[in-house]
Amino acid sequence: MAEQMTLDIGSVKGKESTLFIVLNGEQANLSIEEIFDSHRFKKFMAISYVSSPKFFAKVVKGFEEVEFILGIDSAEQAINFNSVYSLLIDVNKRIDFIKEFDAELQTKVSEDKVKIRYCNTNLPIHTKLYLLENPDTGNTRVIIGSANLTERAFSGEKQYENIAIFDNQPEIFKIYLEWFKKLFSNSFDFVPEEIKKKIKQEKAQTIVLDKEEKANIVTNEIARNLYHIVPLSQEIFEEWKASPQNIQYQAELQANEVRQKTQIIAAITKKDGKVYRLKPPQEIRKMNIVVDTLVSNSLKEDQLQVCQKLIYWDKNDLIYIVSEDNKTAEFSQKAEKDEIKTHISLITEFVEAYRKFTVTKEDKHLGKVMEAILYAFMSVYLWKIREDLVIQYGGESYRANVPIFLVLGGRAYSGKTTALEIIGMLLGNYPPYFISYDTIRKGNVADRELLEGFFGSEYLAPILVDEMPISFFTGRTGENIIKNVSNNAKGKHPVMICTTNMNEFNVPQQILRRIYYLQIDSEFDKRYNLESQEHLTKIRRGINSTLFKDFTYRMGELIREGEPLYLRNDYLYAARKIFEEYYRECKMDLPEWFPKKPFNDYEERGKRWWQEKYKHHKELFQIRPDGTIYVEINELFKDPKEKDFALNMLGPGCINESSHILILNEKEFFEYIGEKKKLNPVIRLIKGLVKS
């Protein structure tokens, strides 16, 4: 057997592989490169589910000819998620798949040297079959078993799988080849002709299409395949329509995606006896629903036009900007040293204004303004950190550890809106650089469809919203939005940076752990209004997106070099390092107020609040022998709203019972407010008796 090669996608060092391989009747140990040997075989034919386009590309790249039929994951089987109708209308899914390929493989796809298909059937394909052939030498290979073409299955590390390999056994190869050809002949091209043409025209360009282009792809494909697409039985059609209600998804965003697709399917079909057939293309073209809903989650881009369309390109880890005519250009650009120094000086002057013109002149208030700028710069990479945490620690719940909501709380005249404006200018937003809450409001609550559409977009520029009401964080609609997108937004997605009134800001723990709260509470002194406005005007005139472009350029270098972007307790780690580097390069001292670690303002605020309550009302806190504290809640809180506020301000582990009475855990509460733990009454009594 040839010496085993190693690639980062296949080997398991020092561990017993969980991939059980039988080669020609005997147990074997093969690497991925040996299993899918593109040196020995020239043609690769397969039916399998694929989770990662990158992994797929690594496996098939070396073959001269590829014919691949996409199957489904077992988790999708219940809803026929990859059926012909679902994939027919999901242009985004097909584009995203091809975008992960390098230029060489994209070219092979456009020239039909790599054919990716999906079957014309409403029955799910759960087969895992791989056929390798070399017509010149006559060598053949059949691979069957449980393993889908995924890194998880073939790494031999994540889960138990098995495959049986039959080399140069003509009868077996012939049987499976005939079955494969039958399915292949009854399949559709996964890559639309319009995408192939775009690849040929633009070569290695990122594939970007507008809504109209995507709608045209759907209608053109319907026209091309109208008489070959199988009709839907009434049973399947009704099942599809009911699926958003009948299927219990863990993630509501997934249910929304299915709901969107079922609406489109219902719109483009009509009943014909006991089946549903596609409407004629000319009729479908007249339907606004096709155009309006094909783009991910119906994002109403016209309402968020202050943001530039920034995308992350995996091929070189840089940020690109998409123009109005859907042309892409590099946004990440290295800046000249004097340009960097100008912007670092302006940012420093802006932050220093919070000392010069405000009533409170503490460094920590200035540091929070700088922290907001660091978060904004890092925002286009937070999705990447979230994905890495899931991979590194093996659980979807870790995604929510990186908050995608930054909340700047402050009193009137605290400068929080000005900070939001300067952040917008630094990012390259268009005037007025941020939006008001009214822009994302629908009736009396936030527009859930709009916001979830925004977070479902791959455009990474953060949305900046001024004066978010407290009801967004405490009401059911806002709470559901925050929880859903924090837990379930996957892949590339943007974040939100917003301001709110500090005096009213009071949120439950389940929301608090999903946001990053910075309290900018030092009010600007009105006596210096004219001077501070002149100072701000000077800064506005000099600021643009030059530094942000350089920042994304340097981030691309860090990513390519495999440098750490974050620490487990600091997801802005890379931003801090790059800005420290800016100060060194400019030969400027790093300000004392420059934040070296994250803030914990909400907890600090809660600590101060409860410290004062305990200090002035000790008689209402009854320390009990069992290690708890009974609080005279009706005496301590005269207003029910104050009670809710107070409970939300308590740290983790402090509350023992809070339904109709309030009982605190003594140890946790005193640690939280920084008070020395009191001896409980029994011990005090015993010590007193011993002493006497």
Side-chain angles (χ1 to χ4, degrees):
M1 186 178 293
E3 183 180 351
Q4 182 167 327
M5 298 177 286
T6 58
L7 273 182
D8 60 349
I9 61 172
S11 58
V12 183
K13 297 178 181 177
K15 295 181 181 179
E16 182 182 355
S17 174
T18 56
L19 176 62
F20 185 73
I21 303 172
V22 175
L23 172 62
N24 296 327
E26 296 183 2
Q27 186 176 347
N29 182 23
L30 303 176
S31 67
I32 291 177
E33 297 78 15
E34 291 172 316
I35 295 170
F36 302 111
D37 191 344
S38 60
H39 299 291
R40 183 180 172 192
F41 303 98
K42 292 185 176 181
K43 186 172 182 178
F44 179 70
M45 298 166 282
I47 308 171
S48 173
Y49 167 72
V50 174
S51 62
S52 166
K54 283 186 177 179
F55 183 77
F56 172 86
K58 286 180 180 179
V59 171
V60 307
K61 188 174 180 180
F63 292 95
E64 293 180 7
E65 188 179 352
V66 175
E67 293 180 352
F68 200 97
I69 302 173
L70 291 167
I72 69 161
D73 184 22
S74 57
E76 296 174 339
Q77 188 168 359
I79 56 172
N80 298 338
F81 204 64
N82 275 357
S83 70
V84 56
Y85 281 78
S86 184
L87 280 175
L88 180 67
I89 62 177
D90 199 344
V91 178
N92 287 322
K93 184 171 186 174
R94 296 194 268 167
I95 293 172
D96 290 345
F97 195 94
I98 304 303
K99 278 165 67 174
E100 298 286 349
F101 295 175
D102 62 20
E104 181 185 347
L105 192 56
Q106 280 190 1
T107 300
K108 283 186 175 182
V109 170
S110 70
E111 295 173 348
D112 282 336
K113 292 178 181 176
V114 173
K115 298 176 181 177
I116 307 171
R117 314 279 287 189
Y118 63 98
C119 259
N120 174 22
T121 175
N122 288 316
L123 297 176
I125 299 179
H126 206 241
T127 299
K128 295 92 172 175
L129 170 66
Y130 311 94
L131 303 174
L132 285 71
E133 182 182 20
N134 188 331
D136 297 336
T137 63
N139 283 326
T140 62
R141 170 169 287 181
V142 176
I143 305 170
I144 56 175
S146 68
N148 282 308
L149 192 66
T150 64
E151 186 170 5
R152 177 181 288 270
F154 277 94
S155 66
E157 190 174 15
K158 299 287 187 181
Q159 61 193 32
Y160 284 101
E161 301 282 3
N162 70 87
I163 56 172
I165 303 175
F166 304 91
D167 277 355
N168 298 324
Q169 299 189 35
E171 290 303 317
I172 294 177
F173 185 82
K174 181 181 177 182
I175 291 170
Y176 280 107
L177 180 61
E178 287 178 356
W179 188 49
F180 175 83
K181 285 181 176 179
K182 179 181 178 181
L183 290 176
F184 194 84
S185 65
N186 192 31
S187 65
F188 294 144
D189 205 332
F190 182 78
V191 185
E193 288 299 320
E194 290 80 359
I195 302 299
K196 294 179 185 178
K197 289 177 183 177
K198 203 170 186 72
I199 293 171
K200 289 176 181 177
Q201 291 168 357
E202 301 181 14
K203 300 300 180 186
Q205 287 288 316
T206 300
I207 303 166
V208 179
L209 296 99
D210 58 28
K211 292 180 181 180
E212 187 175 353
E213 287 176 305
K214 292 176 182 178
N216 285 337
I217 288 175
V218 172
T219 53
N220 289 339
E221 290 210 308
I222 290 173
R224 282 194 293 266
N225 302 303
L226 183 63
Y227 299 106
H228 304 288
I229 299 175
V230 294
L232 284 169
S233 69
Q234 184 167 347
E235 180 184 0
I236 292 179
F237 184 82
E238 295 301 329
E239 179 184 334
W240 241 331
K241 284 179 67 177
S243 61
Q245 290 79 38
N246 294 343
I247 300 170
Q248 299 298 314
Y249 292 99
Q250 291 182 348
E252 190 166 338
L253 287 179
Q254 289 177 308
N256 288 339
E257 182 182 350
V258 175
R259 188 177 295 110
Q260 182 187 14
K261 287 184 178 180
T262 58
Q263 290 171 351
I264 300 172
I265 292 170
I268 64 176
T269 56
K270 62 180 179 181
K271 193 170 184 180
D272 181 10
K274 293 186 177 182
V275 299
Y276 286 80
R277 300 185 187 276
L278 285 167
K279 295 176 181 177
Q282 61 270 22
E283 191 175 336
I284 292 175
R285 284 193 176 95
K286 297 176 183 177
M287 295 181 179
N288 290 333
I289 187 171
V290 176
V291 177
D292 291 342
T293 59
L294 277 173
V295 174
S296 177
N297 289 315
S298 304
L299 175 61
K300 301 173 187 175
E301 295 167 2
D302 57 321
Q303 292 182 264
L304 307 174
Q305 281 186 343
V306 296
C307 302
Q308 297 194 85
K309 295 179 179 178
L310 303 181
I311 59 174
Y312 179 91
W313 200 359
D314 299 275
K315 295 172 185 176
N316 58 12
D317 301 302
L318 296 179
I319 300 297
Y320 279 67
I321 186 168
V322 182
S323 64
E324 289 302 316
D325 58 355
N326 284 319
K327 299 293 182 182
T328 57
E330 281 191 25
F331 180 83
S332 301
Q333 295 177 23
K334 196 170 184 179
E336 297 295 331
K337 187 174 180 179
D338 59 338
E339 293 177 313
I340 293 173
K341 187 168 185 178
T342 296
H343 273 77
I344 289 297
S345 298
L346 288 171
I347 289 173
T348 304
E349 287 180 35
F350 173 68
V351 176
E352 286 287 353
Y354 285 78
R355 187 199 313 274
K356 188 175 182 180
F357 302 115
T358 62
V359 177
T360 306
K361 305 181 184 298
E362 297 178 23
D363 280 350
K364 65 178 181 179
H365 297 308
L366 281 68
K368 293 170 190 176
V369 178
M370 188 68 215
E371 184 82 348
I373 293 172
L374 295 178
Y375 182 96
F377 273 56
M378 197 69 184
S379 65
V380 294
Y381 303 97
L382 294 183
W383 66 269
K384 192 171 185 64
I385 297 175
R386 283 160 57 88
E387 291 297 303
D388 189 70
L389 284 172
V390 171
I391 294 170
Q392 185 173 348
Y393 297 106
E396 292 291 331
S397 61
Y398 286 94
R399 197 183 307 278
N401 288 356
V402 178
I404 55 178
F405 293 85
L406 171 65
V407 181
L408 306 179
R411 301 184 184 94
Y413 303 106
S414 63
K416 59 185 187 296
T417 299
T418 302
L420 199 66
E421 179 192 31
I422 293 298
I423 285 172
M425 297 176 78
L426 286 167
L427 297 179
N429 282 6
Y430 308 113
Y433 309 111
F434 58 84
I435 63 175
S436 68
Y437 174 69
D438 285 342
T439 310
I440 58 170
R441 184 167 59 87
K442 189 175 184 179
N444 295 323
V445 296
D447 188 334
R448 183 168 183 174
E449 181 184 6
L450 172 62
L451 284 179
E452 290 189 345
F454 167 77
F455 284 106
S457 167
E458 286 195 5
Y459 294 134
L460 299 175
I463 182 174
L464 311 182
V465 185
D466 194 32
E467 296 297 345
M468 290 285 277
I470 187 61
S471 59
F472 176 77
F473 302 97
T474 58
R476 181 175 297 178
T477 299
E479 180 176 329
N480 286 339
I481 292 171
I482 292 172
K483 288 163 71 174
N484 280 336
V485 299
S486 296
N487 294 347
N488 302 317
K490 299 178 182 178
K492 303 177 183 71
H493 62 79
V495 307
M496 175 188 284
I497 302 174
C498 63
T499 68
T500 193
N501 189 300
M502 182 205 72
N503 294 329
E504 297 178 355
F505 195 71
N506 172 35
V507 297
Q509 283 292 328
Q510 65 266 29
I511 296 301
L512 181 61
R513 69 185 186 87
R514 291 178 171 89
I515 65 174
Y516 187 19
Y517 177 74
L518 292 175
Q519 187 168 306
I520 304 175
D521 55 2
S522 181
E523 297 176 32
F524 274 75
D525 194 328
K526 294 180 182 179
R527 293 176 298 173
Y528 303 115
N529 271 356
L530 182 60
E531 189 180 349
S532 63
Q533 285 302 317
E534 289 175 351
H535 183 82
L536 184 60
T537 299
K538 172 196 168 187
I539 292 170
R540 283 194 185 105
R541 286 173 181 163
I543 276 183
N544 54 45
S545 60
T546 298
L547 191 68
F548 184 46
K549 290 177 179 179
D550 183 88
F551 179 88
T552 61
Y553 181 87
R554 296 186 186 213
M555 282 293 295
E557 288 182 328
L558 291 181
I559 294 168
R560 289 191 297 275
E561 292 167 5
E563 294 293 323
L565 303 186
Y566 64 98
L567 302 178
R568 192 165 186 181
N569 61 344
D570 187 7
Y571 43 85
L572 302 185
Y573 172 77
R576 300 186 205 283
K577 295 303 175 187
I578 289 177
F579 268 80
E580 288 173 0
E581 190 177 276
Y582 283 147
Y583 277 97
R584 282 195 300 272
E585 290 178 6
C586 297
K587 294 183 170 53
M588 296 171 60
D589 292 334
L590 190 70
E592 290 293 325
W593 43 257
F594 187 88
K596 300 292 181 64
K597 61 181 182 178
F599 291 88
N600 198 359
D601 280 359
Y602 195 87
E603 183 174 315
E604 291 301 321
R605 184 179 168 206
K607 285 180 180 179
R608 289 194 300 271
W609 196 91
W610 276 99
Q611 282 169 355
E612 291 300 313
K613 283 290 182 184
Y614 181 74
K615 179 179 178 182
H616 296 289
H617 302 283
K618 288 184 180 180
E619 72 281 1
L620 301 180
F621 292 77
Q622 299 178 15
I623 301 172
R624 306 195 303 189
D626 63 355
T628 62
I629 304 173
Y630 179 85
V631 182
E632 297 284 353
I633 194 169
N634 294 327
E635 293 296 322
L636 193 62
F637 310 117
K638 301 297 185 184
D639 185 345
K641 289 184 179 179
E642 188 184 13
K643 175 191 171 186
D644 293 337
F645 179 86
L647 294 180
N648 288 337
M649 284 289 184
L650 281 167
C654 288
I655 297 176
N656 183 291
E657 174 63 49
S658 64
S659 53
H660 301 292
I661 58 175
L662 178 59
I663 299 176
L664 304 176
N665 292 315
E666 180 186 2
K667 177 177 179 292
E668 287 77 5
F669 176 69
F670 282 132
E671 285 179 354
Y672 180 64
I673 65 173
E675 185 82 11
K676 188 175 180 181
K677 188 176 184 297
K678 311 297 180 185
L679 291 174
N680 69 50
V682 174
I683 295 176
R684 280 199 294 269
L685 177 62
I686 294 172
K687 283 199 169 189
L689 291 172
V690 171
K691 192 173 182 180
S692 63

